[in-house]
Amino acid sequence: MYSRDHWKSKLGFILAAVGSAVGLGNIWKFPYVVGKNGGSAFIAIYLACVILVGIPILIVEIYLGKKSQLNPVGAFRFFQKGKVPFSLIGYAGVLCGIIILSYYSVITGWICHYLMLSFRGFSGSETEISEIFTALNANPWLNIAWHTFVMAAVMMILAKGVRKGIEAASKILMPMLGVLLLVLVCYSLTLDGMKEAWRFLTYPDFSRVTGSSFLEALGTSFFTLSLGMGAMITYGSYLKGEVNITKSAVQIASIDTLIAFLSGIVIFPIVFTNNLEPSAGPGLIFKTLPVLFSKMPGGHIVSIAFFALVLFAAITSAISLLEVATSFMVDEYKCSRTKAVLIMGTVIWLLGILSAVSYWNVAGTPFLDLFDKIASCYMLPLGGLCSALVFGWAISKKQKYSEIGSKPINKILLFAAKYISPVLLLLVFIKEIGLF
Ligand code: PFF
Protein backbone atom coordinates (compact mmCIF):
# COMPACT_ATOMS: atom_id res chain seq x y z
CA MET A 1 0.00 0.00 0.00
CA TYR A 2 1.38 3.46 -0.99
CA SER A 3 1.89 5.86 1.87
CA ARG A 4 2.90 9.48 1.34
CA ASP A 5 6.34 10.51 2.50
CA HIS A 6 6.40 13.62 4.76
CA TRP A 7 9.01 16.09 5.98
CA LYS A 8 10.76 14.97 9.11
CA SER A 9 10.68 18.44 10.64
CA LYS A 10 9.29 21.92 9.98
CA LEU A 11 12.83 23.18 9.60
CA GLY A 12 13.34 20.54 6.90
CA PHE A 13 10.33 21.92 5.04
CA ILE A 14 11.52 25.53 5.35
CA LEU A 15 15.01 24.64 4.15
CA ALA A 16 13.66 22.66 1.20
CA ALA A 17 11.25 25.47 0.27
CA VAL A 18 13.99 28.08 0.60
CA GLY A 19 16.20 25.76 -1.45
CA SER A 20 13.58 25.76 -4.18
CA ALA A 21 13.15 29.52 -4.03
CA VAL A 22 16.81 30.49 -3.87
CA GLY A 23 18.36 29.71 -7.23
CA LEU A 24 19.64 31.21 -10.44
CA GLY A 25 16.76 33.69 -10.16
CA ASN A 26 18.29 35.26 -7.04
CA ILE A 27 21.98 35.16 -7.84
CA TRP A 28 22.01 35.46 -11.61
CA LYS A 29 18.80 37.22 -12.60
CA PHE A 30 18.05 39.53 -9.67
CA PRO A 31 21.33 41.52 -9.73
CA TYR A 32 21.21 42.21 -13.45
CA VAL A 33 17.52 43.10 -13.43
CA VAL A 34 18.22 45.49 -10.52
CA GLY A 35 21.18 46.90 -12.46
CA LYS A 36 19.07 47.44 -15.54
CA ASN A 37 16.25 49.15 -13.64
CA GLY A 38 18.30 51.64 -11.70
CA GLY A 39 19.06 50.00 -8.34
CA SER A 40 17.24 50.62 -5.13
CA ALA A 41 14.09 52.20 -6.55
CA PHE A 42 13.53 48.88 -8.27
CA ILE A 43 14.27 47.00 -5.04
CA ALA A 44 11.52 48.99 -3.31
CA ILE A 45 9.05 47.97 -6.01
CA TYR A 46 10.29 44.39 -5.82
CA LEU A 47 9.64 44.35 -2.07
CA ALA A 48 6.13 45.64 -2.60
CA CYS A 49 5.52 42.81 -5.10
CA VAL A 50 6.82 40.21 -2.66
CA ILE A 51 4.46 41.50 0.03
CA LEU A 52 1.38 42.07 -2.14
CA VAL A 53 1.65 39.05 -4.42
CA GLY A 54 4.54 36.75 -3.45
CA ILE A 55 3.58 36.02 0.16
CA PRO A 56 -0.18 35.68 -0.52
CA ILE A 57 0.37 33.26 -3.43
CA LEU A 58 2.92 31.33 -1.38
CA ILE A 59 0.23 30.90 1.29
CA VAL A 60 -2.26 29.81 -1.40
CA GLU A 61 0.08 27.17 -2.82
CA ILE A 62 1.17 25.75 0.53
CA TYR A 63 -2.49 25.60 1.58
CA LEU A 64 -3.61 23.80 -1.59
CA GLY A 65 -0.88 21.19 -1.15
CA LYS A 66 -1.21 20.66 2.58
CA LYS A 67 -4.99 20.39 2.54
CA SER A 68 -5.17 18.00 -0.42
CA GLN A 69 -1.98 15.98 0.33
CA LEU A 70 -1.63 15.64 -3.42
CA ASN A 71 0.47 16.71 -6.42
CA PRO A 72 -0.70 19.86 -8.31
CA VAL A 73 -3.04 17.94 -10.68
CA GLY A 74 -4.66 16.02 -7.81
CA ALA A 75 -4.73 19.13 -5.63
CA PHE A 76 -6.72 21.18 -8.13
CA ARG A 77 -9.03 18.24 -8.78
CA PHE A 78 -9.55 17.98 -5.01
CA PHE A 79 -10.95 21.52 -4.94
CA GLN A 80 -12.99 21.10 -8.11
CA LYS A 81 -16.40 22.79 -8.04
CA GLY A 82 -18.91 22.36 -10.83
CA LYS A 83 -17.85 21.40 -14.31
CA VAL A 84 -14.74 23.56 -14.87
CA PRO A 85 -11.81 21.10 -14.95
CA PHE A 86 -9.50 22.67 -12.35
CA SER A 87 -7.01 19.85 -12.87
CA LEU A 88 -5.96 21.51 -16.15
CA ILE A 89 -4.19 24.17 -14.05
CA GLY A 90 -2.23 21.37 -12.40
CA TYR A 91 -1.34 19.78 -15.75
CA ALA A 92 -0.09 23.16 -16.99
CA GLY A 93 2.03 23.43 -13.82
CA VAL A 94 3.61 20.01 -14.36
CA LEU A 95 4.34 20.89 -17.98
CA CYS A 96 5.80 24.23 -16.93
CA GLY A 97 8.14 22.49 -14.45
CA ILE A 98 9.30 20.14 -17.20
CA ILE A 99 9.99 23.06 -19.54
CA ILE A 100 11.82 25.15 -16.93
CA LEU A 101 14.01 22.29 -15.70
CA SER A 102 14.99 21.37 -19.27
CA TYR A 103 16.86 24.67 -19.71
CA TYR A 104 17.60 25.34 -16.02
CA SER A 105 19.69 22.18 -16.09
CA VAL A 106 21.67 23.45 -19.10
CA ILE A 107 22.44 26.74 -17.30
CA THR A 108 23.36 24.79 -14.15
CA GLY A 109 25.74 22.86 -16.42
CA TRP A 110 27.44 26.16 -17.34
CA ILE A 111 27.90 26.84 -13.63
CA CYS A 112 29.55 23.41 -13.22
CA HIS A 113 31.88 24.24 -16.11
CA TYR A 114 32.83 27.58 -14.57
CA LEU A 115 33.35 25.96 -11.18
CA MET A 116 35.78 23.51 -12.79
CA LEU A 117 37.57 26.37 -14.54
CA SER A 118 37.74 28.28 -11.26
CA PHE A 119 39.87 25.53 -9.75
CA ARG A 120 42.40 26.17 -12.51
CA GLY A 121 41.91 29.92 -12.24
CA PHE A 122 40.89 32.37 -14.96
CA SER A 123 43.75 33.96 -16.85
CA GLY A 124 44.33 35.77 -20.12
CA SER A 125 43.05 38.96 -21.67
CA GLU A 126 39.53 40.26 -21.19
CA THR A 127 38.49 39.07 -24.63
CA GLU A 128 40.00 35.63 -24.07
CA ILE A 129 38.12 35.19 -20.79
CA SER A 130 34.79 36.40 -22.08
CA GLU A 131 35.24 34.14 -25.07
CA ILE A 132 35.18 31.08 -22.81
CA PHE A 133 31.45 31.58 -22.64
CA THR A 134 31.08 31.95 -26.39
CA ALA A 135 33.12 28.77 -26.89
CA LEU A 136 31.08 26.85 -24.32
CA ASN A 137 27.87 27.97 -25.96
CA ALA A 138 29.07 26.85 -29.36
CA ASN A 139 30.01 23.37 -28.14
CA PRO A 140 26.85 21.21 -28.08
CA TRP A 141 28.60 18.07 -26.81
CA LEU A 142 30.07 19.81 -23.82
CA ASN A 143 26.71 21.35 -23.01
CA ILE A 144 24.95 18.01 -23.34
CA ALA A 145 27.58 16.35 -21.14
CA TRP A 146 27.11 18.92 -18.34
CA HIS A 147 23.32 18.81 -18.74
CA THR A 148 23.44 15.01 -18.39
CA PHE A 149 25.62 15.30 -15.30
CA VAL A 150 23.24 17.78 -13.64
CA MET A 151 20.12 15.75 -14.47
CA ALA A 152 21.75 12.55 -13.20
CA ALA A 153 22.70 14.23 -9.90
CA VAL A 154 19.19 15.64 -9.41
CA MET A 155 17.58 12.29 -10.28
CA MET A 156 19.79 10.44 -7.82
CA ILE A 157 18.83 12.77 -4.99
CA LEU A 158 15.12 12.55 -5.81
CA ALA A 159 15.11 8.77 -6.09
CA LYS A 160 15.98 8.65 -2.39
CA GLY A 161 12.67 10.20 -1.45
CA VAL A 162 11.34 13.28 0.30
CA ARG A 163 13.10 12.86 3.64
CA LYS A 164 16.27 11.06 2.66
CA GLY A 165 16.67 12.85 -0.66
CA ILE A 166 15.18 16.35 -0.80
CA GLU A 167 15.22 17.16 2.91
CA ALA A 168 18.66 15.69 3.54
CA ALA A 169 20.20 17.46 0.52
CA SER A 170 18.61 20.78 1.54
CA LYS A 171 19.88 20.40 5.10
CA ILE A 172 23.44 20.06 3.77
CA LEU A 173 23.40 22.44 0.81
CA MET A 174 21.48 25.40 2.26
CA PRO A 175 23.73 25.98 5.30
CA MET A 176 26.76 25.64 3.00
CA LEU A 177 25.20 28.23 0.71
CA GLY A 178 24.62 30.53 3.70
CA VAL A 179 28.26 30.25 4.82
CA LEU A 180 29.66 30.84 1.32
CA LEU A 181 27.40 33.84 0.84
CA LEU A 182 28.49 35.39 4.13
CA VAL A 183 32.16 34.85 3.31
CA LEU A 184 31.65 36.54 -0.05
CA VAL A 185 29.69 39.42 1.52
CA CYS A 186 32.57 39.98 3.99
CA TYR A 187 35.00 39.99 1.09
CA SER A 188 32.93 42.50 -0.88
CA LEU A 189 32.68 44.77 2.16
CA THR A 190 36.46 45.26 1.96
CA LEU A 191 36.36 46.51 -1.64
CA ASP A 192 36.60 50.17 -2.63
CA GLY A 193 33.44 49.92 -4.73
CA MET A 194 31.35 48.97 -1.66
CA LYS A 195 30.33 52.57 -0.92
CA GLU A 196 29.10 53.12 -4.42
CA ALA A 197 27.35 49.73 -4.44
CA TRP A 198 25.64 50.47 -1.15
CA ARG A 199 24.46 53.81 -2.51
CA PHE A 200 23.23 52.10 -5.67
CA LEU A 201 21.32 49.49 -3.67
CA THR A 202 19.83 51.81 -1.07
CA TYR A 203 19.51 55.29 -2.59
CA PRO A 204 16.41 55.27 -4.79
CA ASP A 205 16.73 56.73 -8.28
CA PHE A 206 13.14 56.76 -9.50
CA SER A 207 14.12 58.42 -12.77
CA ARG A 208 15.21 55.04 -14.17
CA VAL A 209 12.00 53.30 -13.22
CA THR A 210 9.61 52.77 -16.11
CA GLY A 211 6.18 51.19 -16.39
CA SER A 212 7.73 47.91 -17.36
CA SER A 213 9.94 47.96 -14.22
CA PHE A 214 6.81 47.18 -12.21
CA LEU A 215 6.00 44.20 -14.36
CA GLU A 216 9.58 43.04 -14.37
CA ALA A 217 9.67 43.26 -10.56
CA LEU A 218 6.52 41.20 -10.29
CA GLY A 219 7.71 38.59 -12.78
CA THR A 220 11.12 38.29 -11.12
CA SER A 221 9.65 37.99 -7.62
CA PHE A 222 7.32 35.30 -8.86
CA PHE A 223 10.11 33.31 -10.50
CA THR A 224 12.49 33.58 -7.56
CA LEU A 225 9.78 32.44 -5.13
CA SER A 226 9.08 29.34 -7.31
CA LEU A 227 5.43 30.28 -7.70
CA GLY A 228 2.88 29.56 -10.39
CA MET A 229 3.72 25.98 -11.31
CA GLY A 230 2.94 23.91 -8.28
CA ALA A 231 6.39 23.53 -6.69
CA MET A 232 5.11 24.95 -3.41
CA ILE A 233 1.88 22.93 -3.74
CA THR A 234 4.01 19.80 -4.00
CA TYR A 235 6.24 20.75 -1.05
CA GLY A 236 3.14 21.75 0.93
CA SER A 237 1.65 18.32 0.30
CA TYR A 238 4.47 16.74 2.33
CA LEU A 239 3.43 18.73 5.41
CA LYS A 240 1.18 17.28 8.04
CA GLY A 241 -0.17 18.27 11.46
CA GLU A 242 -0.15 21.78 12.88
CA VAL A 243 1.76 24.18 10.69
CA ASN A 244 1.58 27.95 10.74
CA ILE A 245 1.30 28.49 6.98
CA THR A 246 1.45 32.29 7.13
CA LYS A 247 4.57 32.26 9.28
CA SER A 248 6.26 29.73 6.99
CA ALA A 249 5.40 31.78 3.89
CA VAL A 250 6.78 34.96 5.46
CA GLN A 251 9.96 33.14 6.50
CA ILE A 252 10.50 31.62 3.06
CA ALA A 253 9.88 34.92 1.25
CA SER A 254 12.08 36.89 3.67
CA ILE A 255 15.05 34.53 3.37
CA ASP A 256 14.68 34.42 -0.41
CA THR A 257 14.60 38.22 -0.65
CA LEU A 258 17.49 38.60 1.78
CA ILE A 259 19.61 36.20 -0.28
CA ALA A 260 18.78 38.07 -3.49
CA PHE A 261 19.81 41.34 -1.81
CA LEU A 262 23.02 39.83 -0.42
CA SER A 263 23.87 38.52 -3.90
CA GLY A 264 23.65 42.13 -5.02
CA ILE A 265 25.95 43.12 -2.14
CA VAL A 266 28.45 40.53 -3.38
CA ILE A 267 28.27 41.39 -7.07
CA PHE A 268 27.93 45.20 -7.26
CA PRO A 269 31.04 46.18 -5.25
CA ILE A 270 33.08 43.95 -7.57
CA VAL A 271 31.45 45.62 -10.56
CA PHE A 272 31.91 49.18 -9.23
CA THR A 273 35.48 48.61 -8.03
CA ASN A 274 36.32 47.75 -11.62
CA ASN A 275 34.43 50.68 -13.13
CA LEU A 276 31.89 48.56 -14.91
CA GLU A 277 28.27 49.26 -15.64
CA PRO A 278 25.89 47.45 -13.24
CA SER A 279 23.53 46.79 -16.13
CA ALA A 280 25.85 44.27 -17.87
CA GLY A 281 22.91 41.92 -18.52
CA PRO A 282 22.63 38.14 -18.34
CA GLY A 283 26.32 37.77 -19.24
CA LEU A 284 27.26 39.39 -15.91
CA ILE A 285 28.26 36.24 -14.07
CA PHE A 286 29.67 34.31 -17.02
CA LYS A 287 31.52 37.03 -18.92
CA THR A 288 32.10 39.98 -16.61
CA LEU A 289 32.80 38.40 -13.24
CA PRO A 290 35.44 35.88 -14.43
CA VAL A 291 37.43 38.77 -15.96
CA LEU A 292 37.33 40.50 -12.60
CA PHE A 293 38.20 37.31 -10.73
CA SER A 294 41.30 36.99 -12.91
CA LYS A 295 42.46 40.47 -11.91
CA MET A 296 41.73 40.73 -8.25
CA PRO A 297 43.91 39.51 -5.40
CA GLY A 298 42.57 36.19 -4.09
CA GLY A 299 40.25 36.05 -7.10
CA HIS A 300 40.94 32.35 -7.53
CA ILE A 301 39.37 31.43 -4.19
CA VAL A 302 36.58 33.98 -4.56
CA SER A 303 35.59 32.50 -7.91
CA ILE A 304 35.51 28.94 -6.51
CA ALA A 305 33.33 30.12 -3.60
CA PHE A 306 31.10 32.11 -5.94
CA PHE A 307 30.40 29.36 -8.46
CA ALA A 308 29.98 26.74 -5.69
CA LEU A 309 27.39 29.04 -4.12
CA VAL A 310 25.48 29.40 -7.38
CA LEU A 311 25.70 25.64 -7.98
CA PHE A 312 24.20 24.75 -4.58
CA ALA A 313 21.40 27.26 -5.13
CA ALA A 314 20.66 25.91 -8.61
CA ILE A 315 20.68 22.23 -7.59
CA THR A 316 18.15 22.68 -4.78
CA SER A 317 15.85 24.56 -7.18
CA ALA A 318 16.25 21.89 -9.86
CA ILE A 319 15.28 19.28 -7.26
CA SER A 320 11.96 21.03 -6.65
CA LEU A 321 11.31 21.36 -10.38
CA LEU A 322 11.71 17.62 -10.94
CA GLU A 323 9.74 16.80 -7.79
CA VAL A 324 6.59 18.37 -9.27
CA ALA A 325 6.64 15.95 -12.22
CA THR A 326 7.70 13.04 -10.00
CA SER A 327 4.89 13.50 -7.47
CA PHE A 328 2.46 13.78 -10.37
CA MET A 329 3.54 10.36 -11.72
CA VAL A 330 3.55 8.75 -8.29
CA ASP A 331 0.09 10.04 -7.30
CA GLU A 332 -1.69 9.86 -10.62
CA TYR A 333 -0.20 6.68 -12.10
CA LYS A 334 0.67 4.91 -8.84
CA CYS A 335 4.15 4.11 -10.06
CA SER A 336 7.16 3.77 -7.80
CA ARG A 337 9.22 6.88 -7.04
CA THR A 338 12.29 5.44 -8.78
CA LYS A 339 10.32 4.71 -11.93
CA ALA A 340 8.69 8.16 -11.84
CA VAL A 341 12.07 9.87 -11.46
CA LEU A 342 13.53 7.81 -14.30
CA ILE A 343 10.68 8.49 -16.70
CA MET A 344 10.30 12.20 -15.99
CA GLY A 345 14.07 12.76 -15.69
CA THR A 346 14.60 11.17 -19.10
CA VAL A 347 11.82 13.21 -20.72
CA ILE A 348 13.32 16.43 -19.32
CA TRP A 349 16.85 15.38 -20.30
CA LEU A 350 15.71 14.79 -23.87
CA LEU A 351 13.89 18.13 -24.01
CA GLY A 352 16.94 19.87 -22.54
CA ILE A 353 19.05 18.77 -25.50
CA LEU A 354 17.16 21.36 -27.55
CA SER A 355 18.49 24.10 -25.25
CA ALA A 356 21.94 22.56 -25.01
CA VAL A 357 22.48 22.90 -28.75
CA SER A 358 22.57 26.68 -28.90
CA TYR A 359 22.30 27.00 -32.67
CA TRP A 360 18.99 25.16 -32.85
CA ASN A 361 16.27 27.76 -32.86
CA VAL A 362 12.74 28.68 -33.78
CA ALA A 363 12.62 31.67 -36.15
CA GLY A 364 15.99 32.85 -34.85
CA THR A 365 15.16 32.42 -31.15
CA PRO A 366 17.27 29.74 -29.43
CA PHE A 367 15.23 27.09 -27.59
CA LEU A 368 16.63 28.15 -24.22
CA ASP A 369 15.30 31.70 -24.63
CA LEU A 370 12.05 30.46 -26.11
CA PHE A 371 11.40 28.05 -23.24
CA ASP A 372 12.28 30.71 -20.68
CA LYS A 373 9.90 33.13 -22.32
CA ILE A 374 7.03 30.63 -22.55
CA ALA A 375 7.44 29.38 -19.00
CA SER A 376 8.43 32.40 -16.97
CA CYS A 377 6.60 35.12 -18.86
CA TYR A 378 3.34 33.36 -19.69
CA MET A 379 2.85 30.12 -17.79
CA LEU A 380 3.98 31.22 -14.30
CA PRO A 381 1.84 34.39 -14.01
CA LEU A 382 -1.11 32.53 -15.52
CA GLY A 383 -0.62 29.60 -13.12
CA GLY A 384 -0.43 32.01 -10.18
CA LEU A 385 -3.52 33.82 -11.35
CA CYS A 386 -5.52 30.58 -11.65
CA SER A 387 -4.35 29.38 -8.21
CA ALA A 388 -5.40 32.68 -6.65
CA LEU A 389 -8.81 32.48 -8.35
CA VAL A 390 -9.43 28.90 -7.22
CA PHE A 391 -8.34 29.75 -3.69
CA GLY A 392 -10.24 33.02 -3.54
CA TRP A 393 -13.50 31.96 -5.11
CA ALA A 394 -13.90 28.17 -4.90
CA ILE A 395 -12.91 27.54 -1.29
CA SER A 396 -15.07 28.73 1.59
CA LYS A 397 -13.78 31.18 4.19
CA LYS A 398 -14.45 28.64 6.91
CA GLN A 399 -12.28 26.04 5.23
CA LYS A 400 -9.46 28.53 4.78
CA TYR A 401 -9.58 29.88 8.31
CA SER A 402 -9.58 26.39 9.78
CA GLU A 403 -6.20 25.73 8.19
CA ILE A 404 -4.64 29.19 8.06
CA GLY A 405 -6.20 30.89 11.07
CA SER A 406 -8.32 34.04 11.25
CA LYS A 407 -5.96 36.50 12.92
CA PRO A 408 -6.05 40.03 11.38
CA ILE A 409 -2.75 39.46 9.54
CA ASN A 410 -4.12 36.29 7.94
CA LYS A 411 -7.30 38.13 6.97
CA ILE A 412 -5.25 40.87 5.28
CA LEU A 413 -3.11 38.33 3.40
CA LEU A 414 -6.15 36.33 2.33
CA PHE A 415 -7.73 39.57 1.09
CA ALA A 416 -4.57 40.26 -0.93
CA ALA A 417 -4.68 36.72 -2.35
CA LYS A 418 -8.31 37.09 -3.38
CA TYR A 419 -8.33 40.61 -4.82
CA ILE A 420 -4.92 42.28 -5.17
CA SER A 421 -2.73 39.41 -6.44
CA PRO A 422 -5.09 38.28 -9.25
CA VAL A 423 -5.45 41.84 -10.57
CA LEU A 424 -1.68 42.43 -10.58
CA LEU A 425 -0.99 39.02 -12.13
CA LEU A 426 -3.59 39.67 -14.79
CA LEU A 427 -1.82 42.94 -15.63
CA VAL A 428 1.51 41.11 -16.00
CA PHE A 429 -0.09 38.52 -18.23
CA ILE A 430 -1.80 41.08 -20.43
CA LYS A 431 1.45 42.98 -20.76
CA GLU A 432 3.36 39.81 -21.66
CA ILE A 433 0.96 38.89 -24.41
CA GLY A 434 1.44 42.40 -25.76
CA LEU A 435 -2.02 43.85 -25.16
CA PHE A 436 -0.51 47.00 -23.64
N1 PFF B 1 13.09 29.89 -7.77
C1 PFF B 1 14.08 29.40 -8.68
C2 PFF B 1 15.13 30.46 -8.89
O1 PFF B 1 15.02 31.56 -8.35
O2 PFF B 1 16.07 30.19 -9.61
C3 PFF B 1 13.53 28.94 -9.99
C4 PFF B 1 12.31 28.07 -9.88
C5 PFF B 1 12.36 26.89 -9.16
C6 PFF B 1 11.12 28.49 -10.47
C7 PFF B 1 11.23 26.13 -9.01
C8 PFF B 1 9.98 27.74 -10.33
C9 PFF B 1 10.05 26.56 -9.58
F1 PFF B 1 8.99 25.85 -9.44
Side-chain angles (χ1 to χ4, degrees):
M1 178 50 199
Y2 161 74
S3 81
R4 198 171 190 74
D5 210 353
H6 285 95
W7 306 112
K8 198 166 156 205
S9 63
K10 265 179 228 160
L11 178 69
F13 161 67
I14 298 286
L15 286 178
V18 168
S20 167
V22 174
L24 296 169
N26 303 60
I27 307 175
W28 172 58
K29 206 171 188 179
F30 182 78
Y32 84 73
V33 176
V34 169
K36 202 173 81 183
N37 288 283
S40 68
F42 180 81
I43 296 184
I45 301 169
Y46 180 87
L47 282 180
C49 293
V50 169
I51 295 168
L52 289 175
V53 184
I55 295 177
I57 303 289
L58 202 46
I59 294 176
V60 168
E61 290 209 5
I62 299 174
Y63 171 87
L64 296 177
K66 176 161 189 291
K67 185 85 189 162
S68 64
Q69 295 284 298
L70 287 166
N71 72 94
V73 172
F76 282 105
R77 193 182 296 124
F78 181 89
F79 292 103
Q80 169 103 27
K81 279 239 173 84
K83 289 220 168 67
V84 186
F86 285 1
S87 57
L88 286 183
I89 311 167
Y91 281 109
V94 174
L95 180 65
C96 184
I98 292 175
I99 296 176
I100 297 185
L101 183 54
S102 74
Y103 70 84
Y104 204 87
S105 160
V106 174
I107 303 178
T108 309
W110 299 346
I111 310 280
C112 295
H113 187 70
Y114 273 75
L115 180 59
M116 287 276 290
L117 294 178
S118 300
F119 281 101
R120 244 186 23 210
F122 294 101
S123 58
S125 71
E126 256 173 53
T127 337
E128 275 165 355
I129 296 180
S130 38
E131 257 165 23
I132 297 175
F133 187 64
T134 321
L136 171 64
N137 235 315
N139 185 340
W141 292 112
L142 190 55
N143 271 299
I144 292 174
W146 279 124
H147 164 57
T148 310
F149 173 77
V150 172
M151 283 307 299
V154 172
M155 285 161 74
M156 263 157 30
I157 295 173
L158 277 202
K160 290 188 179 248
V162 175
R163 275 190 193 196
K164 294 196 181 129
I166 308 175
E167 189 167 349
S170 308
K171 278 185 173 163
I172 299 172
L173 294 175
M174 293 320 287
M176 279 172 36
L177 179 141
V179 171
L180 284 175
L181 188 61
L182 286 181
V183 169
L184 286 168
V185 167
C186 291
Y187 171 81
S188 277
L189 287 176
T190 65
L191 297 176
D192 292 342
M194 184 62 213
K195 252 199 203 136
E196 206 177 332
W198 183 253
R199 199 181 142 77
F200 181 71
L201 286 169
T202 55
Y203 183 83
D205 172 8
F206 282 97
S207 68
R208 298 210 10 220
V209 171
T210 60
S212 64
S213 305
F214 285 89
L215 300 168
E216 192 146 26
L218 191 55
T220 309
S221 65
F222 220 62
F223 184 82
T224 87
L225 286 170
S226 304
L227 296 173
M229 49 143 287
M232 293 299 175
I233 298 182
T234 310
Y235 276 14
S237 76
Y238 301 133
L239 278 171
K240 63 175 177 198
E242 274 287 300
V243 178
N244 186 334
I245 296 183
T246 309
K247 193 170 145 198
S248 307
V250 171
Q251 284 170 340
I252 297 164
S254 312
I255 303 176
D256 183 66
T257 309
L258 181 70
I259 292 186
F261 187 75
L262 290 179
S263 304
I265 297 261
V266 169
I267 290 174
F268 290 123
I270 303 179
V271 169
F272 284 119
T273 305
N274 293 277
N275 293 324
L276 284 161
E277 266 301 299
S279 51
L284 190 67
I285 74 168
F286 295 111
K287 290 185 180 164
T288 316
L289 287 185
V291 174
L292 307 182
F293 290 147
S294 75
K295 288 198 228 154
M296 57 200 218
H300 180 64
I301 305 288
V302 180
S303 83
I304 296 175
F306 180 78
F307 285 108
L309 166 84
V310 189
L311 182 62
F312 296 159
I315 291 284
T316 45
S317 297
I319 287 174
S320 72
L321 285 161
L322 183 55
E323 182 58 22
V324 174
T326 303
S327 71
F328 161 71
M329 288 292 285
V330 171
D331 287 350
E332 300 291 309
Y333 296 99
K334 308 281 171 255
C335 65
S336 72
R337 169 168 272 273
T338 318
K339 199 167 157 194
V341 169
L342 264 178
I343 297 174
M344 283 309 191
T346 309
V347 169
I348 295 169
W349 176 77
L350 283 170
L351 189 66
I353 292 178
L354 292 176
S355 298
V357 183
S358 63
Y359 48 77
W360 285 350
N361 59 63
V362 178
T365 311
F367 278 96
L368 195 152
D369 299 3
L370 183 73
F371 287 162
D372 185 35
K373 182 100 193 143
I374 295 175
S376 52
C377 297
Y378 305 123
M379 295 180 84
L380 293 184
L382 197 58
L385 173 63
C386 293
S387 309
L389 292 178
V390 167
F391 180 80
W393 305 92
I395 301 173
S396 73
K397 245 189 195 156
K398 206 172 133 213
Q399 250 181 317
K400 286 185 262 196
Y401 287 162
S402 75
E403 191 74 45
I404 298 174
S406 55
K407 281 194 198 146
I409 176 75
N410 296 329
K411 284 190 175 160
I412 296 173
L413 288 166
L414 294 190
F415 176 86
K418 187 167 179 177
Y419 298 103
I420 305 175
S421 317
V423 172
L424 292 176
L425 286 167
L426 191 64
L427 286 180
V428 172
F429 185 69
I430 294 176
K431 157 82 171 56
E432 295 297 358
I433 57 176
L435 287 184
F436 70 65

